[in-house]
Amino acid sequence: MTVPEETDGPDRSGSVAGVRPLADVDRALERLAPPGRAAGQSAAGAAAAYRWALGRTARAPVTSAHAHGVPDLELLTAEVDAAIVQLGDPTLPVDLRDFTLGVHDALGWVCGYNDQQP
């Protein structure tokens, strides 16, 4: 599992990440990881996905694909697809499976595949 590099902040040139307003994704990230609370691997995956969707990290959490600023819907969808492929690997270690499931669920919400935030 790679940890994406941090950037200075989100690229606010667009108003959405996937189909969600940037402010909604930012609130989802804040609710997911309040300061001082330890997060499990699924929550860590969701947080990594939200940070990437907001343009706060340059590298995608599953594929390490590079995005300049907020990734477009096509790149976000490709990351969801990559998570599905990775989750289908029966040899995937449990902690990586949980991380990838968190990424999948968070980006699924960002892309509008479901209305329930992880």
Side-chain angles (χ1 to χ4, degrees), residues 87-102:
L87 289 168
D89 179 356
T91 65
L92 192 66
V94 173
D95 60 337
L96 186 52
R97 179 175 304 282
D98 289 346
F99 180 89
T100 303
L101 185 59

